[in-house]
PDB file of all heavy atoms in Angstrom:
ATOM      1  N   VAL A 101     -36.939 -12.851 -11.858  1.00 94.00           N
ATOM      2  CA  VAL A 101     -36.324 -13.888 -10.954  1.00 94.00           C
ATOM      3  C   VAL A 101     -37.415 -14.570 -10.110  1.00 94.00           C
ATOM      4  O   VAL A 101     -37.287 -15.824 -10.142  1.00 94.00           O
ATOM      5  CB  VAL A 101     -35.241 -13.163  -9.931  1.00 94.00           C
ATOM      6  CG1 VAL A 101     -35.001 -14.054  -8.888  1.00 94.00           C
ATOM      7  CG2 VAL A 101     -34.015 -12.692 -10.794  1.00 94.00           C
ATOM      8  N   PRO A 102     -38.446 -13.914  -9.596  1.00 94.00           N
ATOM      9  CA  PRO A 102     -39.361 -14.722  -8.805  1.00 94.00           C
ATOM     10  C   PRO A 102     -40.116 -15.703  -9.642  1.00 94.00           C
ATOM     11  O   PRO A 102     -40.399 -16.874  -9.251  1.00 94.00           O
ATOM     12  CB  PRO A 102     -40.374 -13.603  -8.269  1.00 94.00           C
ATOM     13  CG  PRO A 102     -39.579 -12.396  -8.210  1.00 94.00           C
ATOM     14  CD  PRO A 102     -38.584 -12.510  -9.440  1.00 94.00           C
ATOM     15  N   SER A 103     -40.521 -15.326 -10.933  1.00 94.00           N
ATOM     16  CA  SER A 103     -41.264 -16.336 -11.783  1.00 94.00           C
ATOM     17  C   SER A 103     -40.325 -17.582 -12.149  1.00 94.00           C
ATOM     18  O   SER A 103     -40.694 -18.689 -12.026  1.00 94.00           O
ATOM     19  CB  SER A 103     -41.617 -15.663 -13.080  1.00 94.00           C
ATOM     20  OG  SER A 103     -42.418 -14.553 -12.842  1.00 94.00           O
ATOM     21  N   LEU A 104     -38.994 -17.232 -12.352  1.00 95.00           N
ATOM     22  CA  LEU A 104     -38.107 -18.254 -12.732  1.00 95.00           C
ATOM     23  C   LEU A 104     -37.815 -19.126 -11.469  1.00 95.00           C
ATOM     24  O   LEU A 104     -37.755 -20.353 -11.717  1.00 95.00           O
ATOM     25  CB  LEU A 104     -36.770 -17.687 -13.283  1.00 95.00           C
ATOM     26  CG  LEU A 104     -36.818 -16.923 -14.547  1.00 95.00           C
ATOM     27  CD1 LEU A 104     -35.470 -16.204 -14.830  1.00 95.00           C
ATOM     28  CD2 LEU A 104     -37.229 -17.920 -15.672  1.00 95.00           C
ATOM     29  N   VAL A 105     -37.849 -18.671 -10.366  1.00 95.00           N
ATOM     30  CA  VAL A 105     -37.651 -19.548  -9.151  1.00 95.00           C
ATOM     31  C   VAL A 105     -38.791 -20.407  -8.978  1.00 95.00           C
ATOM     32  O   VAL A 105     -38.624 -21.483  -8.649  1.00 95.00           O
ATOM     33  CB  VAL A 105     -37.373 -18.575  -7.909  1.00 95.00           C
ATOM     34  CG1 VAL A 105     -37.521 -19.368  -6.596  1.00 95.00           C
ATOM     35  CG2 VAL A 105     -36.050 -17.932  -7.947  1.00 95.00           C
ATOM     36  N   ARG A 106     -40.164 -19.779  -9.098  1.00 95.00           N
ATOM     37  CA  ARG A 106     -41.283 -20.711  -9.035  1.00 95.00           C
ATOM     38  C   ARG A 106     -41.309 -21.831 -10.101  1.00 95.00           C
ATOM     39  O   ARG A 106     -41.529 -22.934  -9.778  1.00 95.00           O
ATOM     40  CB  ARG A 106     -42.500 -19.853  -9.222  1.00 95.00           C
ATOM     41  CG  ARG A 106     -42.993 -19.061  -8.017  1.00 95.00           C
ATOM     42  CD  ARG A 106     -44.207 -18.381  -8.172  1.00 95.00           C
ATOM     43  NE  ARG A 106     -44.415 -17.440  -9.254  1.00 95.00           N
ATOM     44  CZ  ARG A 106     -44.066 -16.199  -9.301  1.00 95.00           C
ATOM     45  NH1 ARG A 106     -43.604 -15.733  -8.167  1.00 95.00           N
ATOM     46  NH2 ARG A 106     -44.260 -15.430 -10.265  1.00 95.00           N
ATOM     47  N   VAL A 107     -40.784 -21.572 -11.309  1.00 95.00           N
ATOM     48  CA  VAL A 107     -40.696 -22.572 -12.241  1.00 95.00           C
ATOM     49  C   VAL A 107     -39.714 -23.593 -11.974  1.00 95.00           C
ATOM     50  O   VAL A 107     -39.996 -24.829 -12.069  1.00 95.00           O
ATOM     51  CB  VAL A 107     -40.340 -21.975 -13.610  1.00 95.00           C
ATOM     52  CG1 VAL A 107     -40.047 -23.035 -14.729  1.00 95.00           C
ATOM     53  CG2 VAL A 107     -41.586 -21.138 -14.225  1.00 95.00           C
ATOM     54  N   VAL A 108     -38.556 -23.162 -11.438  1.00 96.00           N
ATOM     55  CA  VAL A 108     -37.520 -24.162 -11.128  1.00 96.00           C
ATOM     56  C   VAL A 108     -38.087 -25.004  -9.860  1.00 96.00           C
ATOM     57  O   VAL A 108     -37.879 -26.333  -9.956  1.00 96.00           O
ATOM     58  CB  VAL A 108     -36.302 -23.464 -10.584  1.00 96.00           C
ATOM     59  CG1 VAL A 108     -35.253 -24.489  -9.937  1.00 96.00           C
ATOM     60  CG2 VAL A 108     -35.584 -22.946 -11.865  1.00 96.00           C
ATOM     61  N   ASN A 109     -38.751 -24.472  -8.959  1.00 95.00           N
ATOM     62  CA  ASN A 109     -39.260 -25.298  -7.751  1.00 95.00           C
ATOM     63  C   ASN A 109     -40.379 -26.281  -8.208  1.00 95.00           C
ATOM     64  O   ASN A 109     -40.316 -27.410  -7.880  1.00 95.00           O
ATOM     65  CB  ASN A 109     -39.914 -24.262  -6.779  1.00 95.00           C
ATOM     66  CG  ASN A 109     -38.887 -23.557  -5.952  1.00 95.00           C
ATOM     67  OD1 ASN A 109     -37.780 -24.180  -5.814  1.00 95.00           O
ATOM     68  ND2 ASN A 109     -39.200 -22.454  -5.326  1.00 95.00           N
ATOM     69  N   GLN A 110     -41.202 -25.773  -9.196  1.00 95.00           N
ATOM     70  CA  GLN A 110     -42.250 -26.655  -9.733  1.00 95.00           C
ATOM     71  C   GLN A 110     -41.602 -27.843 -10.500  1.00 95.00           C
ATOM     72  O   GLN A 110     -42.021 -29.025 -10.261  1.00 95.00           O
ATOM     73  CB  GLN A 110     -43.197 -25.832 -10.755  1.00 95.00           C
ATOM     74  CG  GLN A 110     -44.274 -26.686 -11.247  1.00 95.00           C
ATOM     75  CD  GLN A 110     -45.219 -27.291 -10.188  1.00 95.00           C
ATOM     76  OE1 GLN A 110     -45.481 -26.517  -9.175  1.00 95.00           O
ATOM     77  NE2 GLN A 110     -45.790 -28.365 -10.304  1.00 95.00           N
ATOM     78  N   LEU A 111     -40.535 -27.497 -11.225  1.00 95.00           N
ATOM     79  CA  LEU A 111     -39.972 -28.594 -12.072  1.00 95.00           C
ATOM     80  C   LEU A 111     -39.255 -29.598 -11.147  1.00 95.00           C
ATOM     81  O   LEU A 111     -39.224 -30.832 -11.356  1.00 95.00           O
ATOM     82  CB  LEU A 111     -39.044 -27.994 -13.033  1.00 95.00           C
ATOM     83  CG  LEU A 111     -39.638 -27.353 -14.294  1.00 95.00           C
ATOM     84  CD1 LEU A 111     -38.567 -26.596 -15.125  1.00 95.00           C
ATOM     85  CD2 LEU A 111     -40.477 -28.290 -15.072  1.00 95.00           C
ATOM     86  N   THR A 112     -38.676 -29.133 -10.107  1.00 95.00           N
ATOM     87  CA  THR A 112     -37.920 -29.932  -9.115  1.00 95.00           C
ATOM     88  C   THR A 112     -39.003 -30.923  -8.430  1.00 95.00           C
ATOM     89  O   THR A 112     -38.856 -32.064  -8.252  1.00 95.00           O
ATOM     90  CB  THR A 112     -37.311 -29.062  -7.996  1.00 95.00           C
ATOM     91  OG1 THR A 112     -36.360 -28.188  -8.711  1.00 95.00           O
ATOM     92  CG2 THR A 112     -36.615 -29.913  -6.958  1.00 95.00           C
ATOM     93  N   LEU A 113     -40.069 -30.296  -8.036  1.00 94.00           N
ATOM     94  CA  LEU A 113     -41.171 -31.088  -7.449  1.00 94.00           C
ATOM     95  C   LEU A 113     -41.683 -32.197  -8.331  1.00 94.00           C
ATOM     96  O   LEU A 113     -41.874 -33.394  -8.071  1.00 94.00           O
ATOM     97  CB  LEU A 113     -42.221 -30.385  -6.915  1.00 94.00           C
ATOM     98  CG  LEU A 113     -42.062 -29.351  -5.653  1.00 94.00           C
ATOM     99  CD1 LEU A 113     -43.156 -28.460  -5.403  1.00 94.00           C
ATOM    100  CD2 LEU A 113     -41.658 -30.232  -4.537  1.00 94.00           C
ATOM    101  N   GLU A 114     -41.868 -31.916  -9.645  1.00 92.00           N
ATOM    102  CA  GLU A 114     -42.411 -32.780 -10.629  1.00 92.00           C
ATOM    103  C   GLU A 114     -41.271 -33.935 -10.903  1.00 92.00           C
ATOM    104  O   GLU A 114     -41.629 -35.037 -10.988  1.00 92.00           O
ATOM    105  CB  GLU A 114     -42.661 -32.072 -11.834  1.00 92.00           C
ATOM    106  CG  GLU A 114     -43.962 -31.239 -11.817  1.00 92.00           C
ATOM    107  CD  GLU A 114     -44.319 -30.440 -13.132  1.00 92.00           C
ATOM    108  OE1 GLU A 114     -43.677 -30.680 -14.136  1.00 92.00           O
ATOM    109  OE2 GLU A 114     -45.104 -29.665 -13.112  1.00 92.00           O
ATOM    110  N   ASN A 115     -40.045 -33.487 -10.999  1.00 92.00           N
ATOM    111  CA  ASN A 115     -38.926 -34.499 -11.073  1.00 92.00           C
ATOM    112  C   ASN A 115     -38.914 -35.430  -9.990  1.00 92.00           C
ATOM    113  O   ASN A 115     -38.669 -36.716 -10.183  1.00 92.00           O
ATOM    114  CB  ASN A 115     -37.712 -33.716 -11.362  1.00 92.00           C
ATOM    115  CG  ASN A 115     -36.575 -34.610 -11.798  1.00 92.00           C
ATOM    116  OD1 ASN A 115     -36.802 -35.725 -12.450  1.00 92.00           O
ATOM    117  ND2 ASN A 115     -35.357 -34.036 -11.839  1.00 92.00           N
ATOM    118  N   GLN A 116     -39.111 -34.994  -8.707  1.00 93.00           N
ATOM    119  CA  GLN A 116     -39.028 -35.823  -7.563  1.00 93.00           C
ATOM    120  C   GLN A 116     -40.190 -36.841  -7.597  1.00 93.00           C
ATOM    121  O   GLN A 116     -39.971 -38.029  -7.360  1.00 93.00           O
ATOM    122  CB  GLN A 116     -39.047 -35.009  -6.321  1.00 93.00           C
ATOM    123  CG  GLN A 116     -37.761 -34.230  -5.937  1.00 93.00           C
ATOM    124  CD  GLN A 116     -37.917 -33.297  -4.738  1.00 93.00           C
ATOM    125  OE1 GLN A 116     -39.101 -33.082  -4.308  1.00 93.00           O
ATOM    126  NE2 GLN A 116     -36.872 -32.717  -4.322  1.00 93.00           N
ATOM    127  N   GLU A 117     -41.401 -36.394  -7.992  1.00 90.00           N
ATOM    128  CA  GLU A 117     -42.400 -37.170  -8.073  1.00 90.00           C
ATOM    129  C   GLU A 117     -42.313 -38.200  -9.156  1.00 90.00           C
ATOM    130  O   GLU A 117     -42.554 -39.451  -8.894  1.00 90.00           O
ATOM    131  CB  GLU A 117     -43.793 -36.428  -8.348  1.00 90.00           C
ATOM    132  CG  GLU A 117     -45.008 -37.175  -8.504  1.00 90.00           C
ATOM    133  CD  GLU A 117     -45.375 -38.040  -7.284  1.00 90.00           C
ATOM    134  OE1 GLU A 117     -44.955 -37.588  -6.143  1.00 90.00           O
ATOM    135  OE2 GLU A 117     -46.018 -39.057  -7.441  1.00 90.00           O
ATOM    136  N   LEU A 118     -41.658 -37.955 -10.327  1.00 88.00           N
ATOM    137  CA  LEU A 118     -41.522 -38.874 -11.393  1.00 88.00           C
ATOM    138  C   LEU A 118     -40.422 -39.950 -10.943  1.00 88.00           C
ATOM    139  O   LEU A 118     -40.588 -41.092 -11.097  1.00 88.00           O
ATOM    140  CB  LEU A 118     -41.022 -38.208 -12.649  1.00 88.00           C
ATOM    141  CG  LEU A 118     -42.129 -37.320 -13.279  1.00 88.00           C
ATOM    142  CD1 LEU A 118     -41.430 -36.522 -14.429  1.00 88.00           C
ATOM    143  CD2 LEU A 118     -43.259 -38.120 -13.914  1.00 88.00           C
ATOM    144  N   ARG A 119     -39.458 -39.489 -10.284  1.00 89.00           N
ATOM    145  CA  ARG A 119     -38.320 -40.400  -9.805  1.00 89.00           C
ATOM    146  C   ARG A 119     -39.051 -41.319  -8.673  1.00 89.00           C
ATOM    147  O   ARG A 119     -38.695 -42.544  -8.687  1.00 89.00           O
ATOM    148  CB  ARG A 119     -37.198 -39.677  -9.158  1.00 89.00           C
ATOM    149  CG  ARG A 119     -36.419 -39.016 -10.249  1.00 89.00           C
ATOM    150  CD  ARG A 119     -35.134 -38.315  -9.663  1.00 89.00           C
ATOM    151  NE  ARG A 119     -34.507 -37.498 -10.623  1.00 89.00           N
ATOM    152  CZ  ARG A 119     -33.530 -37.988 -11.512  1.00 89.00           C
ATOM    153  NH1 ARG A 119     -33.231 -39.259 -11.499  1.00 89.00           N
ATOM    154  NH2 ARG A 119     -32.939 -37.227 -12.301  1.00 89.00           N
ATOM    155  N   ARG A 120     -39.848 -40.789  -7.899  1.00 89.00           N
ATOM    156  CA  ARG A 120     -40.421 -41.760  -6.866  1.00 89.00           C
ATOM    157  C   ARG A 120     -41.362 -42.814  -7.630  1.00 89.00           C
ATOM    158  O   ARG A 120     -41.356 -43.993  -7.239  1.00 89.00           O
ATOM    159  CB  ARG A 120     -41.364 -40.849  -6.014  1.00 89.00           C
ATOM    160  CG  ARG A 120     -41.886 -41.666  -4.716  1.00 89.00           C
ATOM    161  CD  ARG A 120     -42.821 -40.775  -3.884  1.00 89.00           C
ATOM    162  NE  ARG A 120     -44.078 -40.326  -4.495  1.00 89.00           N
ATOM    163  CZ  ARG A 120     -45.085 -41.189  -4.788  1.00 89.00           C
ATOM    164  NH1 ARG A 120     -44.976 -42.383  -4.450  1.00 89.00           N
ATOM    165  NH2 ARG A 120     -46.147 -40.608  -5.366  1.00 89.00           N
ATOM    166  N   GLN A 121     -42.152 -42.292  -8.534  1.00 87.00           N
ATOM    167  CA  GLN A 121     -42.891 -43.160  -9.368  1.00 87.00           C
ATOM    168  C   GLN A 121     -42.114 -44.323 -10.030  1.00 87.00           C
ATOM    169  O   GLN A 121     -42.394 -45.384 -10.115  1.00 87.00           O
ATOM    170  CB  GLN A 121     -43.789 -42.448 -10.354  1.00 87.00           C
ATOM    171  CG  GLN A 121     -44.881 -41.647  -9.885  1.00 87.00           C
ATOM    172  CD  GLN A 121     -46.043 -42.519  -9.357  1.00 87.00           C
ATOM    173  OE1 GLN A 121     -46.262 -43.633  -9.926  1.00 87.00           O
ATOM    174  NE2 GLN A 121     -46.747 -42.158  -8.392  1.00 87.00           N
ATOM    175  N   LEU A 122     -40.942 -43.892 -10.529  1.00 84.00           N
ATOM    176  CA  LEU A 122     -40.071 -44.721 -11.258  1.00 84.00           C
ATOM    177  C   LEU A 122     -39.368 -45.878 -10.408  1.00 84.00           C
ATOM    178  O   LEU A 122     -39.165 -46.913 -10.772  1.00 84.00           O
ATOM    179  CB  LEU A 122     -39.007 -43.997 -12.011  1.00 84.00           C
ATOM    180  CG  LEU A 122     -38.127 -44.591 -13.116  1.00 84.00           C
ATOM    181  CD1 LEU A 122     -39.042 -45.102 -14.227  1.00 84.00           C
ATOM    182  CD2 LEU A 122     -37.132 -43.630 -13.739  1.00 84.00           C
ATOM    183  N   ALA A 123     -39.354 -45.413  -9.146  1.00 86.00           N
ATOM    184  CA  ALA A 123     -38.691 -46.369  -8.138  1.00 86.00           C
ATOM    185  C   ALA A 123     -39.622 -47.391  -7.705  1.00 86.00           C
ATOM    186  O   ALA A 123     -39.289 -48.341  -7.089  1.00 86.00           O
ATOM    187  CB  ALA A 123     -38.050 -45.649  -6.987  1.00 86.00           C
ATOM    188  N   LEU A 124     -40.953 -47.282  -7.990  1.00 86.00           N
ATOM    189  CA  LEU A 124     -41.835 -48.255  -7.486  1.00 86.00           C
ATOM    190  C   LEU A 124     -41.662 -49.648  -8.216  1.00 86.00           C
ATOM    191  O   LEU A 124     -41.158 -49.680  -9.255  1.00 86.00           O
ATOM    192  CB  LEU A 124     -43.364 -47.818  -7.708  1.00 86.00           C
ATOM    193  CG  LEU A 124     -43.760 -46.595  -6.905  1.00 86.00           C
ATOM    194  CD1 LEU A 124     -45.143 -46.050  -7.367  1.00 86.00           C
ATOM    195  CD2 LEU A 124     -43.761 -46.942  -5.446  1.00 86.00           C
ATOM    196  N   PRO A 125     -42.193 -50.700  -7.565  1.00 86.00           N
ATOM    197  CA  PRO A 125     -41.987 -52.067  -8.194  1.00 86.00           C
ATOM    198  C   PRO A 125     -42.604 -52.050  -9.646  1.00 86.00           C
ATOM    199  O   PRO A 125     -42.131 -52.685 -10.514  1.00 86.00           O
ATOM    200  CB  PRO A 125     -42.618 -52.977  -7.302  1.00 86.00           C
ATOM    201  CG  PRO A 125     -42.699 -52.285  -6.015  1.00 86.00           C
ATOM    202  CD  PRO A 125     -42.709 -50.914  -6.182  1.00 86.00           C
ATOM    203  N   GLU A 126     -43.711 -51.524  -9.632  1.00 85.00           N
ATOM    204  CA  GLU A 126     -44.378 -51.488 -11.003  1.00 85.00           C
ATOM    205  C   GLU A 126     -44.677 -49.993 -11.312  1.00 85.00           C
ATOM    206  O   GLU A 126     -45.745 -49.383 -11.152  1.00 85.00           O
ATOM    207  CB  GLU A 126     -45.717 -52.247 -10.981  1.00 85.00           C
ATOM    208  CG  GLU A 126     -45.522 -53.778 -10.893  1.00 85.00           C
ATOM    209  CD  GLU A 126     -46.741 -54.571 -11.000  1.00 85.00           C
ATOM    210  OE1 GLU A 126     -47.724 -54.020 -11.653  1.00 85.00           O
ATOM    211  OE2 GLU A 126     -46.811 -55.554 -10.354  1.00 85.00           O
ATOM    212  N   PRO A 127     -43.641 -49.414 -11.952  1.00 79.00           N
ATOM    213  CA  PRO A 127     -43.816 -47.847 -12.111  1.00 79.00           C
ATOM    214  C   PRO A 127     -44.821 -47.615 -13.250  1.00 79.00           C
ATOM    215  O   PRO A 127     -44.955 -48.328 -14.233  1.00 79.00           O
ATOM    216  CB  PRO A 127     -42.346 -47.442 -12.592  1.00 79.00           C
ATOM    217  CG  PRO A 127     -41.742 -48.757 -13.072  1.00 79.00           C
ATOM    218  CD  PRO A 127     -42.351 -49.877 -12.373  1.00 79.00           C
ATOM    219  N   THR A 128     -45.485 -46.540 -13.065  1.00 81.00           N
ATOM    220  CA  THR A 128     -46.393 -46.010 -13.984  1.00 81.00           C
ATOM    221  C   THR A 128     -45.781 -45.031 -15.031  1.00 81.00           C
ATOM    222  O   THR A 128     -46.371 -44.528 -15.928  1.00 81.00           O
ATOM    223  CB  THR A 128     -47.627 -45.373 -13.400  1.00 81.00           C
ATOM    224  OG1 THR A 128     -47.128 -44.253 -12.611  1.00 81.00           O
ATOM    225  CG2 THR A 128     -48.479 -46.317 -12.606  1.00 81.00           C
ATOM    226  N   VAL A 129     -44.573 -44.822 -14.784  1.00 75.00           N
ATOM    227  CA  VAL A 129     -43.672 -43.889 -15.527  1.00 75.00           C
ATOM    228  C   VAL A 129     -42.746 -44.662 -16.408  1.00 75.00           C
ATOM    229  O   VAL A 129     -42.072 -45.550 -15.875  1.00 75.00           O
ATOM    230  CB  VAL A 129     -43.076 -42.911 -14.697  1.00 75.00           C
ATOM    231  CG1 VAL A 129     -42.092 -41.913 -15.541  1.00 75.00           C
ATOM    232  CG2 VAL A 129     -43.994 -42.018 -13.776  1.00 75.00           C
ATOM    233  N   ILE A 130     -42.682 -44.441 -17.684  1.00 74.00           N
ATOM    234  CA  ILE A 130     -41.701 -45.135 -18.529  1.00 74.00           C
ATOM    235  C   ILE A 130     -40.750 -43.959 -19.067  1.00 74.00           C
ATOM    236  O   ILE A 130     -41.113 -43.064 -19.637  1.00 74.00           O
ATOM    237  CB  ILE A 130     -42.390 -45.787 -19.714  1.00 74.00           C
ATOM    238  CG1 ILE A 130     -43.385 -46.811 -19.186  1.00 74.00           C
ATOM    239  CG2 ILE A 130     -41.330 -46.420 -20.578  1.00 74.00           C
ATOM    240  CD1 ILE A 130     -44.329 -47.415 -20.321  1.00 74.00           C
ATOM    241  N   PRO A 131     -39.426 -44.173 -18.715  1.00 69.00           N
ATOM    242  CA  PRO A 131     -38.471 -43.286 -19.292  1.00 69.00           C
ATOM    243  C   PRO A 131     -38.416 -43.202 -20.773  1.00 69.00           C
ATOM    244  O   PRO A 131     -38.502 -44.180 -21.485  1.00 69.00           O
ATOM    245  CB  PRO A 131     -37.090 -43.665 -18.629  1.00 69.00           C
ATOM    246  CG  PRO A 131     -37.421 -45.037 -18.172  1.00 69.00           C
ATOM    247  CD  PRO A 131     -38.906 -45.354 -18.088  1.00 69.00           C
TER     248      PRO A 131
END
Side-chain angles (χ1 to χ4, degrees):
V101 167
S103 298
L104 294 171
V105 167
R106 281 191 299 274
V107 169
V108 168
N109 286 335
Q110 182 64 35
L111 290 172
T112 301
L113 292 172
E114 288 176 11
N115 195 12
Q116 288 172 350
E117 179 59 25
L118 291 172
R119 288 182 188 278
R120 190 183 64 74
Q121 287 288 329
L122 195 57
L124 293 175
E126 292 187 29
T128 57
V129 178
I130 301 170

